[in-house]
Amino acid sequence: MNVPKLRFKEFNDEWQSINLATIFQYFATNSFSRDQLSESGILKNLHYGDIHRKYNSIVNENDEITSYIKDINYDNKYELLKNNDLIFADASEDYEGIGKAVEVLNVNNKTISGLHTILARDNLNVFAPMFKGYYFNSPIVHNQLRVLANGFKVYGISKDSINKLNIKVPSTNEQTKIANTLYLLDKKIELQSKKIEDLKLFKKGLILSLKKNSFDWHTVCIKDLFKITRGVVIPKNELSEFKSGEYKYPVYSSQTSNQGVLGYSDTFDFNGKYLTWTTDGANAGKVFYRNGKFRCTNVCGVLYEDNIKFTNELFAELLNYETPKHVSYVGNPKLMNNIMANIKIKIPSNEIQENISLVINTINHKVNLETNKLLKLQELKKGLMQSMFV
């Protein structure tokens, strides 16, 4: 039967197949030269980059748009977006991003669809408000679009690709209930994300305040305080994605999300207090304070000392302000051991370091707790998106 795995109990009829070629009206989208664009203005230019950056399926008047059109005499010149329009990103360098879409909500007729987008309008009102945004971002649709996409390094879709989709929809009442449920979950995700960002901003403000009053701080060089090494090549098939009784030691890599954890190992190479940093890649120079048993991959540098006087949260944060100045951006970004060794930073007395490190540790612990809550909400949404559609 054409019904989803997870469903509200008051609905029991089958979902109906529809032909998108008879439902959607497509409009030509717009490309502009650099001199036609600005960073502010009246007419917003929603392009594929804005769509890819969206964590949810709705775009509204309050969303940040990265470019505007200088031409203020836009009446009848462009097709202005209307509420409930569906905008696809027709190009993606990321296989997972193929066909990413957003549904328009409350744009006040001052937005157009720009570079590498497809504007699809449901003139027959087959879809309830907001339902399209979630449905066309579901695994059911994305799996079909990935098969239909063209390209190698950049993947592209077209209106012909969209029209070939095998689409099934329920009654508008069920659509509305599904959309409202997912929208409320998105609002929770949004509020949780803001809570985390506020904590990070508070920590950043604390560090900046300290640095502004650093008149009596003294300058030190990394090589005079720390010994320097780096991790080793660790095949990913030797790691577990999740922590368990056997695989309980974190493995840190070049990534910065999830505190840099690549996976978990059944053994460890380091035990105690250390500073690690990303040596290669887009996040080169990012420093973390580590305390415990762990391993590092070969794109992760390690700082350690015998007396543990400077290995703390504050030193890691202060070092993070200096490392970006020393990253080499020739080819793949890098911050190698020899460069790290010669970095100089200003630090306060050990007593101040210890006191502020306790505060930073509290903030970081709170960030980690709130991040775990966010990840659970995101996993819940992912599960719903897989189970609530056909």
Side-chain angles (χ1 to χ4, degrees):
M1 294 178 64
N2 291 327
V3 295
K5 295 179 182 178
L6 183 64
R7 200 175 195 190
F8 298 103
K9 61 181 180 181
E10 63 265 38
F11 301 107
N12 52 32
D13 53 326
E14 288 196 40
W15 288 30
Q16 301 301 310
S17 297
I18 62 172
N19 181 351
L20 288 177
T22 65
I23 301 298
F24 280 153
Q25 178 183 7
Y26 297 95
F27 294 86
T29 52
N30 310 276
S31 298
F32 301 94
S33 61
R34 289 184 180 274
D35 61 354
Q36 292 177 288
L37 301 175
S38 63
E39 295 181 357
S40 62
I42 298 174
L43 191 60
K44 293 182 177 181
N45 176 44
L46 175 72
H47 62 80
Y48 77 109
D50 298 315
I51 295 173
H52 283 302
R53 276 187 291 273
K54 289 288 295 177
Y55 76 92
N56 60 18
S57 304
I58 305 295
V59 61
N60 60 41
E61 187 66 24
N62 298 321
D63 281 334
E64 181 179 349
I65 304 296
T66 55
S67 63
Y68 293 75
I69 308 305
K70 291 180 180 178
D71 185 1
I72 62 173
N73 299 312
Y74 54 82
D75 287 344
N76 301 318
K77 186 180 289 188
Y78 310 110
E79 184 62 39
L80 301 177
L81 299 187
K82 297 180 179 179
N83 287 336
N84 309 127
D85 280 348
L86 188 65
I87 318 297
F88 291 88
D90 73 4
S92 174
E93 295 180 1
D94 179 4
Y95 187 69
E96 296 298 318
I98 293 174
K100 177 73 190 294
V102 292
E103 184 171 347
V104 176
L105 184 69
N106 300 327
V107 294
N108 297 331
N109 288 335
K110 293 182 180 178
T111 306
I112 63 172
S113 55
L115 181 66
H116 289 309
T117 62
I118 298 172
L119 167 54
R121 181 170 294 160
D122 169 21
N123 286 326
L124 300 181
N125 296 320
V126 172
F127 296 98
M130 297 194 299
F131 180 81
K132 292 191 300 297
Y134 292 109
Y135 184 65
F136 283 87
N137 281 311
S138 69
I140 291 289
V141 173
H142 271 186
N143 289 338
Q144 295 183 59
L145 281 175
R146 287 165 188 159
V147 174
L148 297 169
N150 297 311
F152 177 60
K153 290 186 177 181
V154 177
Y155 304 96
I157 62 168
S158 65
K159 68 177 183 180
D160 291 333
S161 305
I162 298 169
N163 284 339
K164 291 178 182 177
L165 293 174
N166 179 18
I167 300 299
K168 297 179 180 66
V169 297
S171 66
T172 52
N173 286 338
E174 187 171 358
Q175 290 182 45
T176 298
K177 192 151 188 177
I178 291 171
N180 288 341
T181 299
L182 291 171
Y183 183 72
L184 289 174
L185 183 55
D186 270 343
K187 297 303 289 184
K188 287 187 177 181
I189 290 173
E190 181 181 342
L191 291 172
Q192 188 64 25
S193 299
K194 187 178 185 306
K195 187 183 294 187
I196 295 167
E197 289 307 310
D198 287 346
L199 285 167
K200 290 179 179 179
L201 285 173
F202 176 75
K203 182 174 73 172
K204 184 177 181 180
L206 175 64
I207 301 300
L208 287 174
S209 178
L210 284 170
K211 288 174 68 66
K212 287 180 180 178
N213 297 280
S214 59
F215 310 109
D216 58 346
W217 292 15
H218 59 286
T219 301
V220 297
C221 185
I222 296 301
K223 66 183 178 184
D224 296 331
L225 303 180
F226 294 95
K227 298 174 183 177
I228 305 176
T229 186
R230 66 190 299 171
V232 297
V233 175
I234 304 175
K236 198 167 183 179
N237 59 10
E238 293 182 4
L239 307 179
S240 170
E241 183 180 356
F242 302 102
K243 187 175 183 179
S244 65
E246 181 180 3
Y247 291 87
K248 57 185 177 182
Y249 305 111
V251 176
Y252 301 115
S253 67
S254 61
Q255 65 187 40
T256 57
S257 59
N258 191 28
Q259 296 296 301
V261 176
L262 176 67
Y264 294 88
S265 175
D266 59 354
T267 186
F268 61 89
D269 298 326
F270 301 97
N271 182 11
K273 296 181 178 181
Y274 297 81
L275 301 181
T276 69
W277 85 94
T278 298
T279 61
D280 298 70
N283 301 308
K286 175 63 178 177
V287 181
F288 288 96
Y289 168 74
R290 311 294 190 188
N291 186 4
K293 299 175 180 179
F294 63 93
R295 299 184 74 187
C296 281
T297 69
N298 61 309
V299 288
C300 195
V302 182
L303 302 177
Y304 65 102
E305 52 174 341
D306 295 329
N307 52 17
I308 319 294
K309 289 177 62 178
F310 303 99
T311 310
N312 54 51
E313 300 270 13
L314 178 58
F315 200 101
E317 295 294 341
L318 293 173
L319 190 53
N320 267 321
Y321 277 89
E322 297 298 323
T323 50
K325 306 172 188 176
H326 301 271
V327 174
S328 170
Y329 291 97
V330 178
N332 187 37
K334 293 180 183 295
L335 180 59
M336 295 293 97
N337 291 27
N338 61 319
I339 304 299
M340 173 63 86
N342 289 293
I343 292 179
K344 296 179 180 180
I345 67 170
K346 293 183 69 176
I347 61 172
S349 66
N350 287 339
E351 182 180 359
I352 292 177
Q353 285 189 59
E354 290 175 5
N355 291 335
I356 301 301
S357 290
L358 289 174
V359 176
I360 294 174
N361 182 60
T362 300
I363 297 172
N364 287 343
H365 180 65
K366 181 64 173 174
V367 168
N368 290 338
L369 289 176
E370 299 299 336
T371 300
N372 286 335
K373 292 179 183 178
L374 175 62
L375 292 173
K376 289 179 180 178
L377 287 172
Q378 291 171 334
E379 283 299 312
L380 173 59
K381 180 183 176 182
K382 182 179 178 180
L384 292 177
M385 294 287 282
Q386 290 174 333
S387 303
M388 296 183 76
F389 300 105
V390 176

